[in-house]
Short mmCIF file of all heavy atoms in Angstrom, two decimals:
data_model
loop_
_atom_site.label_atom_id
_atom_site.label_comp_id
_atom_site.label_asym_id
_atom_site.label_seq_id
_atom_site.Cartn_x
_atom_site.Cartn_y
_atom_site.Cartn_z
N LEU H 19 15.75 48.16 23.54
CA LEU H 19 16.73 47.79 24.44
C LEU H 19 16.89 46.19 24.52
O LEU H 19 15.93 45.49 24.61
CB LEU H 19 16.50 48.43 25.82
CG LEU H 19 16.56 49.87 25.91
CD1 LEU H 19 16.26 50.33 27.42
CD2 LEU H 19 17.88 50.39 25.43
N ALA H 20 18.10 45.88 24.44
CA ALA H 20 18.40 44.32 24.56
C ALA H 20 19.87 44.25 25.18
O ALA H 20 20.56 45.25 25.38
CB ALA H 20 18.36 43.75 23.18
N ASN H 21 20.27 42.91 25.38
CA ASN H 21 21.61 42.81 25.88
C ASN H 21 22.74 43.14 25.02
O ASN H 21 23.83 43.58 25.35
CB ASN H 21 21.79 41.29 26.16
CG ASN H 21 20.84 40.89 27.46
OD1 ASN H 21 20.72 41.63 28.35
ND2 ASN H 21 20.54 39.63 27.47
N GLU H 22 22.30 43.19 23.60
CA GLU H 22 23.22 43.48 22.67
C GLU H 22 22.61 44.62 21.76
O GLU H 22 21.47 44.45 21.28
CB GLU H 22 23.59 42.39 21.71
CG GLU H 22 24.84 42.61 20.87
CD GLU H 22 25.27 41.43 20.09
OE1 GLU H 22 24.46 40.82 19.33
OE2 GLU H 22 26.37 41.00 20.24
N LEU H 23 23.23 45.78 21.59
CA LEU H 23 22.83 46.96 20.91
C LEU H 23 23.67 47.18 19.56
O LEU H 23 24.85 46.91 19.53
CB LEU H 23 22.83 48.19 21.75
CG LEU H 23 22.07 48.09 23.10
CD1 LEU H 23 22.42 49.37 23.82
CD2 LEU H 23 20.55 48.00 22.87
N ARG H 24 23.03 47.83 18.53
CA ARG H 24 23.64 48.02 17.30
C ARG H 24 23.89 49.63 17.19
O ARG H 24 23.00 50.37 17.42
CB ARG H 24 22.94 47.69 16.13
CG ARG H 24 23.74 47.88 14.79
CD ARG H 24 22.88 47.38 13.65
NE ARG H 24 22.63 45.94 13.57
CZ ARG H 24 23.56 45.13 13.06
NH1 ARG H 24 24.67 45.52 12.60
NH2 ARG H 24 23.28 43.70 13.08
N CYS H 25 25.08 50.08 16.93
CA CYS H 25 25.36 51.42 16.82
C CYS H 25 24.74 51.93 15.44
O CYS H 25 24.91 51.36 14.44
CB CYS H 25 26.91 51.67 16.72
SG CYS H 25 27.37 53.34 16.37
N GLN H 26 24.05 53.11 15.60
CA GLN H 26 23.41 53.70 14.38
C GLN H 26 24.39 54.43 13.47
O GLN H 26 23.92 54.81 12.45
CB GLN H 26 22.28 54.61 14.96
CG GLN H 26 21.28 54.03 15.82
CD GLN H 26 20.50 54.90 16.83
OE1 GLN H 26 20.83 56.11 16.89
NE2 GLN H 26 19.54 54.42 17.59
N ARG H 27 25.57 54.58 13.83
CA ARG H 27 26.52 55.29 12.95
C ARG H 27 27.51 54.18 12.30
O ARG H 27 27.49 54.07 11.07
CB ARG H 27 27.40 56.27 13.71
CG ARG H 27 28.53 56.90 12.81
CD ARG H 27 29.33 57.90 13.52
NE ARG H 27 28.50 59.11 13.80
CZ ARG H 27 28.89 60.16 14.49
NH1 ARG H 27 30.08 60.18 15.02
NH2 ARG H 27 28.17 61.23 14.64
N CYS H 28 28.23 53.41 13.02
CA CYS H 28 29.22 52.50 12.51
C CYS H 28 28.62 51.05 12.35
O CYS H 28 29.19 50.22 11.73
CB CYS H 28 30.42 52.38 13.40
SG CYS H 28 30.09 51.43 15.00
N MET H 29 27.30 50.91 12.82
CA MET H 29 26.56 49.67 12.60
C MET H 29 27.23 48.41 13.36
O MET H 29 26.76 47.31 13.08
CB MET H 29 26.41 49.36 11.18
CG MET H 29 25.79 50.37 10.35
SD MET H 29 24.12 50.85 10.97
CE MET H 29 23.16 49.36 10.69
N ARG H 30 28.27 48.62 14.22
CA ARG H 30 28.89 47.54 14.92
C ARG H 30 27.94 47.28 16.23
O ARG H 30 27.17 48.29 16.73
CB ARG H 30 30.18 47.79 15.39
CG ARG H 30 31.17 48.01 14.21
CD ARG H 30 32.61 48.26 14.77
NE ARG H 30 33.36 48.49 13.68
CZ ARG H 30 34.21 47.53 13.17
NH1 ARG H 30 34.03 46.31 13.56
NH2 ARG H 30 35.05 47.80 12.12
N LYS H 31 27.98 46.19 16.70
CA LYS H 31 27.23 45.73 17.87
C LYS H 31 28.02 45.90 19.09
O LYS H 31 29.25 45.66 19.08
CB LYS H 31 26.61 44.22 17.69
CG LYS H 31 25.63 44.11 16.68
CD LYS H 31 25.04 42.75 16.73
CE LYS H 31 23.87 42.53 15.68
NZ LYS H 31 23.26 41.16 15.71
N PHE H 32 27.40 46.25 20.27
CA PHE H 32 28.08 46.33 21.53
C PHE H 32 27.16 45.89 22.57
O PHE H 32 25.85 45.96 22.49
CB PHE H 32 28.69 47.74 21.73
CG PHE H 32 27.71 48.81 21.75
CD1 PHE H 32 27.16 49.23 23.06
CD2 PHE H 32 27.19 49.43 20.65
CE1 PHE H 32 26.24 50.21 23.13
CE2 PHE H 32 26.29 50.51 20.69
CZ PHE H 32 25.68 50.89 21.88
N LEU H 33 27.78 45.58 23.73
CA LEU H 33 26.92 45.04 24.79
C LEU H 33 26.28 46.25 25.60
O LEU H 33 26.95 47.32 25.65
CB LEU H 33 27.79 44.23 25.79
CG LEU H 33 28.27 42.86 25.29
CD1 LEU H 33 29.24 42.31 26.26
CD2 LEU H 33 27.24 41.94 24.91
N PHE H 34 25.08 46.03 26.07
CA PHE H 34 24.36 47.06 26.85
C PHE H 34 25.33 47.32 28.02
O PHE H 34 25.94 46.42 28.71
CB PHE H 34 23.04 46.37 27.36
CG PHE H 34 22.29 47.37 28.25
CD1 PHE H 34 21.32 48.20 27.60
CD2 PHE H 34 22.49 47.58 29.61
CE1 PHE H 34 20.68 49.12 28.36
CE2 PHE H 34 21.70 48.34 30.40
CZ PHE H 34 20.86 49.25 29.74
N PRO H 35 25.47 48.61 28.45
CA PRO H 35 26.42 49.06 29.43
C PRO H 35 25.90 48.69 30.97
O PRO H 35 25.63 49.51 31.68
CB PRO H 35 26.57 50.55 29.18
CG PRO H 35 25.28 50.98 28.62
CD PRO H 35 24.89 49.77 27.69
N ALA H 36 25.76 47.39 31.13
CA ALA H 36 25.17 46.98 32.43
C ALA H 36 26.13 47.26 33.55
O ALA H 36 25.65 47.43 34.77
CB ALA H 36 24.93 45.42 32.36
N ALA H 37 27.43 47.32 33.32
CA ALA H 37 28.38 47.52 34.47
C ALA H 37 28.12 48.95 34.86
O ALA H 37 28.47 49.36 36.13
CB ALA H 37 29.77 47.21 34.01
N HIS H 38 27.88 49.89 33.92
CA HIS H 38 27.65 51.29 34.27
C HIS H 38 26.26 51.70 33.66
O HIS H 38 26.21 52.36 32.68
CB HIS H 38 28.79 52.14 33.72
CG HIS H 38 30.15 51.78 34.28
ND1 HIS H 38 30.63 52.15 35.41
CD2 HIS H 38 31.17 51.03 33.66
CE1 HIS H 38 31.80 51.67 35.70
NE2 HIS H 38 32.12 50.95 34.72
N PRO H 39 25.19 51.33 34.29
CA PRO H 39 23.85 51.61 33.77
C PRO H 39 23.59 53.06 33.65
O PRO H 39 24.14 54.02 34.36
CB PRO H 39 22.95 50.96 34.82
CG PRO H 39 23.76 50.75 36.03
CD PRO H 39 25.20 50.64 35.69
N PRO H 40 22.71 53.44 32.56
CA PRO H 40 22.52 54.82 32.37
C PRO H 40 21.98 55.47 33.57
O PRO H 40 21.02 54.96 34.44
CB PRO H 40 21.55 54.85 31.19
CG PRO H 40 21.72 53.43 30.61
CD PRO H 40 22.16 52.55 31.66
N GLY H 41 22.41 56.76 33.78
CA GLY H 41 21.72 57.65 34.82
C GLY H 41 20.74 58.56 34.26
O GLY H 41 20.32 58.46 33.04
N GLN H 42 20.20 59.44 35.09
CA GLN H 42 19.10 60.25 34.61
C GLN H 42 19.48 61.15 33.36
O GLN H 42 18.64 61.35 32.64
CB GLN H 42 18.81 61.23 35.88
CG GLN H 42 17.43 61.95 35.65
CD GLN H 42 17.04 62.72 36.92
OE1 GLN H 42 17.47 63.82 37.09
NE2 GLN H 42 16.10 62.15 37.76
#
């Protein structure tokens, strides 16, 4: 985990969803 994550399919980077953090 980091502020910027890389998609394992399209290989594009995207920001960690801090505005809607993961739930259980």
Side-chain angles (χ1 to χ4, degrees):
L19 296 179
N21 289 331
E22 193 174 59
L23 304 174
R24 182 182 294 276
C25 177
Q26 297 156 355
R27 175 178 289 175
C28 70
M29 302 303 293
R30 295 179 183 273
K31 292 184 177 181
F32 62 95
L33 293 176
F34 183 90
H38 300 282
Q42 192 177 84

